Amino acid sequence: MHGLMPNPLTKLSESTEEDEVLRSRKRKLDMEAESDSEQLREQLRLHLEDKRILNGDAGKRLRRDFGRLLKSGEEGVPMADVDYEIYKYINELADQYIELDDLLEQNGVSYSEALEQAAQFRKQFLCLLEKHAVRNQDLVVTCWDLMERIEQQPEHPDLQYLYFCVVTDFGLLNAVNAADRTEEQKIRNYFRQQNALRELTDFFQAQSENLQKYHALLEYLKKPRRVESGVRNEEDFDLLYHLTAQHAFLYGCKTNPVYEENLRALQLHINNDVKLKAVKPYIIFAVLARKTGMMQKRKYFMPNLKSIFQYQNYNIYKDNGKNFNQYASELELYDHLRRSYIDDCEIDMGLCDFCFANLSPLSEWYYQNCEPNEEIPMALCRKILHVMPKSFPYMLSYADYDQMNEDEVQLYSDAAKELLENMLHTAEKFLRL
């Protein structure tokens, strides 16, 4: 399993040992930067023409925004480490930077054609807003109007598209700070948004298709079924038995005959039902994670499979150390099962991933507490957060923001957080379990 480690943005201040590790990493990066500074400045000349810009007005805004962003979590990040986070961000930009000519060539358009496409995209967006009586007065008004329309018609494709446009906007649609952007920045923002919009809409389409399969499976499970004994697949059982027993929350199963027989019966039941076999990795995971004790202690235990296709809620925010290890071990089990059956043509891995991400808070717990690994399936709201610009929702101009006192900044931050939370809550209406 890759990446099951505390996320540095949420765990940064947990201990002095972590602080020392951070300082050590920062010193190493600083030393590397001394030899690479010329190349870095060239790569970032359109973003930060000189790293000394951090001491100017633009730099102050960058520091301020990063400080606000990093302190927005439950634990926050010490201000002394904001410079390090800025440096990481700058290096990420350097790694991602593409010359404009290369970017235009990749997209098969000229400079003027790209500007025209960006203008047309914005015009079509504004026309759709007008069609559905969504005001374009400012971002806040647009979002609240849009959420009200979606509440009334959550399945309307125009409203879903407008929502995805709003949450993937890098500054092309929202007029705030538009005067500060060059034509080149408009082009870059347009291409970035198109990529994000395509990624999000493709994901949503796949989720919609898997939601239909999920509902069909629920209907199938309501009917009584008689499963033939079928042929035993010892090779498959050996794989499952040794794969599952190596995970921490199932330690001891290798010497437990009750677990062995229960797992064998479950595997035989699944393998001889085509509908169940299609979601085998999820079923094995969910049964072992939810019915751990029963599988190890009760002889001849056969779980009610309808129950594992219902949402299981538990408090993912409670962390006493033991919970972290338990959740991490369960995640590793699903990831291991997923990798083991990924090439099996009888497995519908998309549906398995959909069930894993949407039928418990475990996926969301992972993305809140661990180093991101996009191979771990995510639900729609997490995908939105994944593609959404860090600046969302930008509601004020730089000039307005700079004139605010500390209390006003806090009110602004609270309002932005509330707006984001409500937008994510609205997205939940697109896919109803």
Side-chain angles (χ1 to χ4, degrees):
M1 177 72 177
H2 301 292
L4 278 177
M5 56 182 290
N7 188 327
L9 289 184
T10 58
K11 300 289 184 180
L12 206 54
S13 59
E14 283 190 343
S15 69
T16 55
E17 289 183 347
E18 288 182 353
D19 290 340
E20 178 55 38
V21 170
L22 185 68
R23 285 192 290 271
S24 175
R25 291 169 61 197
K26 181 180 176 183
R27 286 194 296 269
K28 181 179 178 181
L29 285 172
D30 285 342
M31 287 188 291
E32 293 174 350
E34 290 179 3
S35 60
D36 297 337
S37 60
E38 289 302 324
Q39 180 181 359
L40 180 63
R41 278 198 293 270
E42 175 61 23
Q43 289 176 309
L44 290 174
R45 61 188 177 82
L46 293 175
H47 296 283
L48 296 171
E49 293 181 355
D50 188 314
K51 287 205 287 188
R52 288 174 297 176
I53 198 172
L54 290 174
N55 297 320
D57 291 340
K60 290 177 182 177
R61 285 198 296 268
L62 181 63
R63 293 168 62 86
R64 177 202 64 208
D65 292 343
F66 259 83
R68 176 166 58 84
L69 174 68
L70 297 176
K71 289 197 297 181
S72 63
E74 291 182 9
E75 298 179 18
V77 175
M79 286 303 294
D81 296 314
V82 171
D83 281 344
Y84 172 62
E85 297 299 332
I86 292 173
Y87 185 78
K88 285 202 304 182
Y89 176 69
I90 291 174
N91 276 276
E92 287 175 8
L93 287 179
D95 292 338
Q96 299 169 7
Y97 183 78
I98 302 174
E99 291 290 347
L100 181 61
D101 289 343
D102 294 335
L103 188 61
L104 292 170
E105 183 177 354
Q106 287 179 10
N107 288 274
V109 294
S110 65
Y111 186 93
S112 60
E113 288 172 338
L115 280 177
E116 177 60 25
Q117 287 182 6
Q120 281 297 114
F121 173 65
R122 188 170 193 276
K123 181 180 178 180
Q124 292 169 2
F125 171 77
L126 295 176
C127 287
L128 271 181
L129 290 182
E130 184 177 359
K131 175 183 175 181
H132 293 280
V134 177
R135 290 170 291 174
N136 189 39
Q137 179 179 329
D138 58 48
L139 178 65
V140 178
V141 171
T142 298
C143 286
W144 285 108
D145 276 5
L146 186 57
M147 286 187 283
E148 184 178 337
R149 304 294 180 272
I150 292 172
E151 183 72 32
Q152 299 165 354
Q153 297 178 286
E155 296 181 359
H156 198 297
D158 282 358
L159 297 176
Q160 292 174 350
Y161 175 74
L162 284 171
Y163 178 97
F164 293 149
C165 285
V166 168
V167 298
T168 57
D169 180 28
F170 287 88
L172 185 66
L173 305 178
N174 183 3
V176 176
N177 298 315
D180 295 330
R181 301 186 190 104
T182 65
E183 287 186 342
E184 178 170 342
Q185 287 171 325
K186 290 179 183 178
I187 291 173
R188 289 181 178 276
N189 287 344
Y190 168 69
F191 287 141
R192 290 178 70 190
Q193 179 164 16
Q194 292 304 297
N195 290 334
L197 187 57
R198 188 179 306 111
E199 181 179 349
L200 185 53
T201 51
D202 287 349
F203 179 86
F204 176 66
Q205 179 62 35
Q207 291 279 287
S208 300
E209 293 170 359
N210 284 314
L211 179 62
Q212 294 178 8
K213 295 179 184 178
Y214 165 74
H215 284 306
L217 183 59
L218 290 183
E219 289 300 314
Y220 176 75
L221 290 172
K222 290 179 181 178
K223 303 173 184 177
R225 302 178 317 283
R226 181 174 178 271
V227 180
E228 301 294 336
S229 59
V231 178
R232 292 173 177 264
N233 186 333
E234 290 299 326
E235 182 179 353
D236 180 61
F237 174 74
D238 288 342
L239 167 68
L240 284 175
Y241 180 63
H242 293 290
L243 183 156
T244 58
Q246 67 182 278
H247 293 279
F249 76 104
L250 291 168
Y251 277 168
C253 289
K254 283 187 177 180
T255 58
N256 185 339
V258 173
Y259 174 76
E260 181 177 351
E261 288 307 310
N262 284 338
L263 182 64
R264 186 183 296 277
L266 178 63
Q267 177 243 12
L268 190 63
H269 181 61
I270 295 171
N271 280 357
N272 288 280
D273 186 315
V274 175
K275 299 286 188 182
L276 297 181
K277 191 172 184 180
V279 283
K280 180 177 177 177
Y282 172 74
I283 293 176
I284 297 294
F285 154 77
V287 168
L288 295 184
R290 297 188 185 192
K291 309 293 182 182
T292 311
M294 294 290 195
M295 287 292 288
Q296 296 181 84
K297 298 175 183 178
R298 180 179 291 184
K299 288 185 177 182
Y300 313 116
F301 173 69
M302 177 58 66
N304 178 3
L305 296 187
K306 288 187 291 187
S307 67
I308 65 168
F309 287 97
Q310 301 297 324
Y311 183 79
Q312 182 189 44
N313 194 16
Y314 44 86
N315 185 4
I316 62 174
Y317 300 104
K318 182 180 179 182
D319 184 4
N320 58 9
K322 179 181 178 181
N323 289 338
F324 186 96
N325 294 334
Q326 173 79 12
Y327 298 158
S329 182
E330 291 175 4
L331 274 159
E332 288 171 343
L333 171 62
Y334 180 73
D335 184 71
H336 203 167
L337 286 165
R338 189 180 188 279
R339 293 171 187 271
S340 298
Y341 288 98
I342 194 70
D343 296 323
D344 190 332
C345 61
E346 296 181 284
I347 303 296
D348 187 342
M349 199 59 73
L351 181 55
C352 290
D353 288 350
F354 175 87
C355 293
F356 174 82
N358 289 282
L359 296 181
S360 86
L362 193 57
S363 170
E364 182 59 24
W365 174 87
Y366 169 79
Y367 281 100
Q368 288 189 21
N369 292 277
C370 303
E371 195 71 29
N373 170 9
E374 292 179 44
E375 292 185 10
I376 300 300
M378 61 181 76
L380 178 60
C381 285
R382 176 51 56 179
K383 185 66 174 182
I384 290 170
L385 285 170
H386 176 69
V387 303
M388 177 185 286
K390 289 183 173 64
S391 58
F392 183 89
Y394 243 136
M395 302 185 290
L396 298 173
S397 68
Y398 295 134
D400 290 338
Y401 192 92
D402 288 337
Q403 293 173 7
M404 297 167 66
N405 60 38
E406 190 171 323
D407 291 338
E408 290 171 331
V409 169
Q410 185 59 52
L411 288 173
Y412 163 80
S413 298
D414 292 343
K417 182 179 180 181
E418 180 185 4
L419 180 61
L420 175 58
E421 289 174 350
N422 278 277
M423 286 290 282
L424 292 174
H425 180 66
T426 296
E428 295 172 355
K429 296 176 173 59
F430 293 156
L431 297 169
R432 297 181 182 273
L433 293 181

